[in-house]
Amino acid sequence: MTAAGAPGRPGVLALAVPALVVLAAEPLYLLVDTAVVGNLGTVALGGLAVGGGLLAWAAALLNFLAYGTTARAARRAGAGDRAGAVAEGVQATWLALLLGAVVVALFQLLAGPLTRALAGGPGEVAAAGEQWLRIAGCGAPLLLVSLAGNGWLRGVQDLRRPVRFVLAGSLLSLVLCPLLVYPAGLGLPGSAVANLAGQSLTAALFVRALLREDADRRFRPAAVRAQLVLGRDLLLRATVLQVAFLVAAGVAARAGQAQLGAHQIALQLFLFLALVLDAYAIAAQTLVGSALGAGRPDEARATARRVTLWGLGTGVLVAVLLLAGRDLLVPMFTGDPAVRAQAELVWWFLAGFQPLAGVVFALDGVLMGAGDVGYLRTVTIGAALAGFLPLSLLSGPLGWGLAGVWTGLTAFIALRLVAVVARVAGERWLTAPATVGA
């Protein structure tokens, strides 16, 4: 199976490669940030895990601004309505600003209680996490505007500009982070300021791109409500998923600082690799949405087959690279022997489920592009309740530690794999309620 699409239309790789750059930029910065902060000590690393985890939780929770907008814009673009696709971006940007303002207010009001809850109580780690979150959390509207911008540009199959925009912001953050943390002497707050600066630049570039389009820029409540119809299922799905990750982080925090530090390292790698593999989901979502919008279901099914093979092959390659590079990669993030020992433990889980994750993420994109988000919602919630959450919660009282938490994550991915493969093998996803085009 090749990466080529139908004649005159882009193939999987033509969309996946630029999507990969965009998706990898932010987590790659976070990996560098983790390495920079990790050398400040275990408390700073734990604070980044707590504060950064909460900000990442908010962004992931509201990621429907990207995925929902892509699905809606792709349907309209596939039907030949580019103006309508851009209009989806306008309303998604308004929605991003409104939701971002709410997130900022919540973080400023609840930063203390949230970080203490995640860190397992008051202490140095909770205080460090609160300090980081109060600064970096101010960038929530900027982060959400960038998600909306990525969404509509993906929908019209323009992935070159998002690459430039995201790389510009990430490069600024990469340069500022070590300078502010060490020479400027800001320590952990320097990491938060660098994060905020990069998000400001990226969001400004996305807004400029939208303003250059010939589209109605007014806020339209009816259009925003229509976006929230699709976003509702994606939001509920993301909520359960992020709650499961927060529970896992809480269990790791209560197991000890070494376990929390190792969990932060492995989790950042997992999120980075998940987004790398998710490049195929972006391509699938764009191509499937466009194909179904144009009334070409056979092309949508062919896309599903292609992205499945690419996801599987890439997952196998990633697993091999992780196992081969473990002794080189782990010391890059920490010099603490206790943290290193715990990181080496979870490394086997991290590498082992990559082939499964490659297929799951690719087929998630297929179903999102088809508007079959209700099924994805149910599958995610079921897998979290049956695998991830119970195993994570049992890890504390039963003394399983990080091994129990990461066994839960493995079970979560395996259960989702069975469900999405079964769905795409059938016909119902091709006739899912097309709320994306409402």
Side-chain angles (χ1 to χ4, degrees), residues 83-410:
V86 175
E88 296 292 345
V90 172
Q91 300 309 314
T93 300
W94 280 116
L95 184 57
L97 290 171
L98 293 173
L99 292 174
V102 173
V103 172
V104 171
L106 289 175
F107 277 159
Q108 295 304 318
L109 289 172
L110 302 174
L114 287 173
T115 53
R116 287 192 293 272
L118 190 56
E124 291 181 313
V125 170
E130 178 181 353
Q131 185 182 38
W132 190 94
L133 183 62
R134 288 192 181 279
I135 299 170
C138 293
L142 306 170
L143 181 58
L144 298 185
V145 164
S146 297
L147 290 177
N150 267 298
W152 75 266
L153 284 169
R154 291 170 185 167
V156 299
Q157 299 187 7
D158 180 355
L159 276 77
R160 292 183 179 180
R161 281 187 288 175
V163 168
R164 297 198 300 270
F165 300 164
V166 171
L167 285 182
S170 297
L171 181 60
L172 178 61
S173 297
L174 284 170
V175 171
L176 287 178
C177 183
L179 293 177
L180 294 177
V181 170
Y182 294 108
L186 295 181
L188 184 60
S191 160
V193 172
N195 188 286
L196 186 58
Q199 289 173 356
S200 299
L201 178 57
T202 299
L205 292 171
F206 275 115
V207 170
R208 186 183 68 172
L210 193 59
L211 292 177
R212 288 180 171 178
E213 295 282 342
D214 183 17
D216 186 353
R217 300 168 188 168
R218 290 174 296 176
F219 175 75
R220 296 189 175 277
V224 170
R225 284 195 297 271
Q227 289 191 348
L228 287 174
V229 171
L230 179 62
R232 176 188 57 206
D233 287 330
L234 293 175
L235 177 61
L236 182 57
R237 175 179 181 266
T239 299
V240 173
L241 180 57
Q242 293 309 310
V243 166
F245 276 110
L246 285 174
V247 168
V251 172
R254 285 163 176 79
Q257 289 188 359
Q259 285 83 351
L260 178 59
H263 182 71
Q264 167 68 3
I265 292 169
L267 183 61
Q268 287 304 321
L269 279 168
F270 167 73
L271 295 175
F272 169 70
L273 295 171
L275 291 180
V276 169
L277 293 171
D278 215 27
Y280 297 121
I282 298 300
Q285 191 177 0
T286 300
L287 293 172
V288 168
S290 178
L292 294 179
R296 298 189 296 265
D298 289 344
E299 184 180 324
R301 186 173 289 283
T303 295
R305 290 194 295 268
R306 287 197 299 272
V307 296
T308 297
L309 293 177
W310 279 103
L312 177 61
T314 304
V316 170
L317 177 61
V318 167
V320 171
L321 293 176
L322 281 173
L323 292 175
R326 186 190 68 173
D327 294 339
L328 176 64
L329 291 171
V330 173
M332 290 175 61
F333 295 100
T334 180
D336 188 320
V339 176
R340 288 179 60 176
Q342 291 294 322
E344 290 173 356
L345 169 66
V346 300
W347 208 264
W348 293 102
F349 293 96
L350 179 65
F353 60 56
Q354 292 305 312
L356 308 183
V359 176
V360 168
F361 299 151
L363 292 182
D364 276 356
V366 169
L367 296 179
M368 285 183 189
D372 200 8
V373 292
Y375 182 79
L376 284 177
R377 172 208 62 209
T378 302
V379 165
T380 302
I381 294 173
L385 294 178
F388 197 178
L389 277 171
L391 287 172
S392 294
L393 291 171
L394 287 172
S395 296
L398 296 181
W400 294 342
L402 287 185
V405 171
W406 283 75
T407 298
L409 180 55
T410 303

